[in-house]
Amino acid sequence: MISKSLEELMNEQVEKEAFSSNLYLSMASWAENQGFEGIADWFYAQAEEERMHMLKFVRYINERGGKAIVPALEKPEADFPNVKFIFDESLKHEKYITGEINNIFKAAVEENDYAAQNWLQWFIAEQFEEETSVQRIIDKLNIMGDHNMYIFDRDIMSMRGEEHGEQ
Ligand code: OFO
């Protein structure tokens, strides 16, 4: 059985993961409208992953005897100044989410909830991977400047494949 306070923290995280999904969906849609198909695909895939994270929290809360709440969501921005901006924002957002996951882990440690600590390790590894992957993309954008967006847009999905250990 999960504690009430951990249940509340995890339900807040359900909302944050769901918002992350909508934020990346909005970025995907913006990129698609700008003609950046590769960048759009990258963000569509990211939005799916965040939805999967939300579902993981929903099911875990319920499995541990809590009650998962499906939240109302704040509307994400629909317009962005440029490609670099959306990746900078994504990194900022991922760092914020990492902090929130760490807070939940801290609460699980304080409560001696070893099962929750073990389960949360997956998210700790995932956040590390997501921050690294967005940082790598920003590094590439910094090297390229505003040029070669066509090539960047063409190559971005293969960068995603590399980061996820795919061929
Ligand atoms: Fe859910 O990992 Fe990003 O936010």
Side-chain angles (χ1 to χ4, degrees):
M1 185 93 189
I2 201 171
S3 74
K4 265 287 152 212
S5 62
L6 217 42
E7 178 183 338
E8 266 169 36
L9 275 178
M10 287 193 177
N11 264 318
E12 283 167 21
Q13 195 62 29
V14 168
E15 183 177 345
K16 285 165 190 151
E17 299 292 344
F19 178 78
S20 302
S21 180
N22 274 2
L23 176 64
Y24 295 146
L25 186 57
S26 185
M27 289 172 170
S29 179
W30 174 84
E32 193 163 49
N33 276 313
Q34 306 295 313
F36 293 122
E37 277 176 43
I39 295 168
D41 282 350
W42 193 92
F43 276 101
Y44 279 129
Q46 203 66 16
E48 280 302 307
E49 275 197 17
E50 297 300 348
R51 185 175 158 74
M52 187 263 283
H53 296 171
M54 176 204 66
L55 283 173
K56 267 182 174 293
F57 271 102
V58 165
R59 301 200 67 172
Y60 184 76
I61 294 165
N62 289 337
E63 274 164 17
R64 291 286 309 275
K67 182 170 167 45
I69 307 292
V70 177
L73 298 175
E74 187 193 324
K75 187 170 169 231
E77 289 294 321
D79 289 302
F80 307 96
N82 53 49
V83 168
K84 176 77 167 36
F85 181 90
I86 56 177
F87 284 102
D88 284 340
E89 283 302 296
S90 301
L91 183 59
K92 222 190 284 173
H93 185 71
E94 287 308 323
K95 286 186 172 166
Y96 161 70
I97 294 292
T98 298
E100 298 303 295
I101 296 286
N102 290 347
N103 285 340
I104 303 173
F105 188 84
K106 192 164 167 253
V109 169
E110 281 162 7
E111 292 182 15
N112 294 326
D113 187 335
Y114 302 112
Q117 289 170 40
N118 183 47
W119 185 79
L120 285 162
Q121 290 288 351
W122 185 90
F123 278 92
I124 291 170
E126 177 71 9
Q127 282 311 120
F128 176 75
E129 195 210 291
E130 287 195 336
E131 279 190 34
T132 309
S133 122
V134 181
Q135 184 62 63
R136 280 207 190 116
I137 289 171
I138 291 172
D139 290 346
K140 289 200 169 77
L141 281 169
N142 283 338
I143 292 168
M144 288 191 327
D146 286 339
H147 311 295
N148 296 324
M149 271 302 149
Y150 175 81
I151 292 172
F152 177 82
D153 185 55
R154 190 195 61 192
D155 292 351
I156 186 168
M157 279 312 271
S158 58
M159 290 181 215
R160 185 182 179 86
E162 284 161 22
E163 257 112 42
H164 286 72
E166 292 153 19
Q167 296 286 315

